[in-house]
């Protein structure tokens, strides 16, 4: 389960990059009630999204040279430099090497063996987001990948993840959790991109963050009103909940969920 009692390997931060941070703030503010504010004069334009005063995500203006608008999921590490070395040793990439973020912590952006970017965060003064696993906050994360076994081996080597097979009507889902945490630590899953009807058209592997909601259908309708796009309509999955996959007006992909994926 996603909580703010972070352990190594668990998601502890998310942020979104887009060419218009004011527009992004307006969209997510209207959708989730998030309020955006600067992280400070030394943060280079980076800011925090807050819900009821608690930080739930980060955001920043990005340029086309930095890549398309996207959400990035970050995972906790107690040694960012060692994790970056492990990524290189397992034929991943380190497009943004480990760096100190003032006195808040140490971060890096890595890529797995098929080029999917993700972040790592070594906490110092800031442990991570201040809300998780609840309405309006990160509640799940999925990697859409062309090769489940290869991805599982890579993330085990780099972040220590353990995988388990969860049977559900229609197939088997590969869940992931930090080392030694078992079912209680389950926070996401690995999905074969070619087998998913929504993702198969593009075939693009990527990390997808899920935000918890009270009413999936209402959020989907509101996203469209605000200029977003529906990638997968609101869908109920037995034992899981009601979910939808969306895209903000700038193209960053995310999902919403009412329920708990661990109930599969």
């Amino acid at each position: 389960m996603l909580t703010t009692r972070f352990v190594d390997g668990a998601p502890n931060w998310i942020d979104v990059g887009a060419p218009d941070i004011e527009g992004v703030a307006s969209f997510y503010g209207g959708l989730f009630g998030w309020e955006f504010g600067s992280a400070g004069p030394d943060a280079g334009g980076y800011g925090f999204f807050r819900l009821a005063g608690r930080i739930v995500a980060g955001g920043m203006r990005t340029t086309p040279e930095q890549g398309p608008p996207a959400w990035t999921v970050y995972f906790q590490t107690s040694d960012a430099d060692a994790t970056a070395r492990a990524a290189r040793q397992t034929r991943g990439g380190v497009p943004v090497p480990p760096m100190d973020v003032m006195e808040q912590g140490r971060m890096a952006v890595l890529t797995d063996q098929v080029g999917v970017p993700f972040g790592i965060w070594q906490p110092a003064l800031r442990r991570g987001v201040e809300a998780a696993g609840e309405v309006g906050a990160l509640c799940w994360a999925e990697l859409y990948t062309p090769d489940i076994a290869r991805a599982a081996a890579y993330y085990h080597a780099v972040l220590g993840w353990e995988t388990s097979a969860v049977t559900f009507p229609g197939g088997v889902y590969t869940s992931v959790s930090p080392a030694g945490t078992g079912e209680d630590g389950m926070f996401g899953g690995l999905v074969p991109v070619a087998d998913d009807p929504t993702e198969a058209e593009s075939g693009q592997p990527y990390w997808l963050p899920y935000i918890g909601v009270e009413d999936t259908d209402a959020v989907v309708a509101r996203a469209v009103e605000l200029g977003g796009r529906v990638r997968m309509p609101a869908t109920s999955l037995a034992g899981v909940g009601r979910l939808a996959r969306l895209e903000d007006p700038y193209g960053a992909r995310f999902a919403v969920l009412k329920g708990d994926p661990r109930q599969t």
Side-chain angles (χ1 to χ4, degrees):
M1 179 180 179
L2 265 171
T3 73
T4 54
R5 298 187 299 274
F6 303 118
V7 297
D8 278 4
N12 64 349
W13 192 259
I14 52 172
D15 62 22
V16 63
D20 179 2
I21 192 60
E22 290 80 10
V24 164
S26 177
F27 175 80
Y28 290 104
L31 194 62
F32 299 130
W34 292 356
E35 297 180 348
F36 185 76
S38 171
D42 299 324
Y46 195 89
F48 298 141
F49 290 101
R50 287 181 168 86
L51 180 65
R54 295 181 297 167
I55 296 172
V56 293
M60 59 189 164
R61 178 184 177 276
T62 54
T63 65
E65 291 74 27
Q66 293 172 286
W71 279 96
T72 300
V73 181
Y74 293 73
F75 303 93
Q76 177 165 301
T77 176
S78 54
D79 188 335
D81 296 85
T83 301
R85 285 195 297 272
R88 291 191 182 97
Q89 290 166 359
T90 49
R91 298 184 179 181
V94 186
V96 180
M99 68 176 74
D100 290 328
V101 181
M102 297 176 281
E103 298 178 344
Q104 301 299 305
R106 192 163 174 80
M107 64 82 65
V109 176
L110 313 180
T111 56
D112 65 20
Q113 293 171 333
V114 296
V116 179
F118 64 98
I120 54 173
W121 178 255
Q122 178 184 332
L125 292 180
R126 180 162 303 285
R127 294 190 61 207
V129 293
E130 296 172 347
E134 59 186 77
V135 171
L138 179 69
C139 68
W140 196 250
E142 283 178 336
L143 173 66
Y144 289 83
T145 178
D147 190 328
I148 296 289
R150 184 182 184 188
Y154 171 84
Y155 287 99
H156 175 74
V158 175
L159 292 170
W161 291 356
E162 297 170 350
T163 60
S164 58
V166 180
T167 302
F168 68 97
V172 176
Y173 185 82
T174 302
S175 67
V176 292
S177 55
T181 63
E183 184 177 340
D184 288 342
M186 192 185 301
F187 65 79
L190 310 178
V191 181
V193 66
D195 295 345
D196 187 278
T198 303
E199 309 300 341
E201 183 177 345
S202 70
Q204 175 190 355
Y206 74 110
W207 272 103
L208 180 69
Y210 280 70
I211 307 299
V213 296
E214 286 280 8
D215 186 332
T216 302
D217 295 79
V219 170
V220 169
R222 182 61 176 151
V224 173
E225 291 175 2
L226 293 166
R229 186 172 77 89
V230 180
R231 302 187 62 249
M232 186 186 83
T235 304
S236 293
L237 295 181
V240 176
R242 192 158 176 81
L243 58 91
R245 293 183 216 159
L246 305 171
E247 191 175 276
D248 71 21
Y250 304 93
R253 298 175 175 183
F254 65 102
V256 294
L257 171 69
K258 177 179 173 60
D260 184 346
R262 299 178 307 140
Q263 296 172 359
T264 47

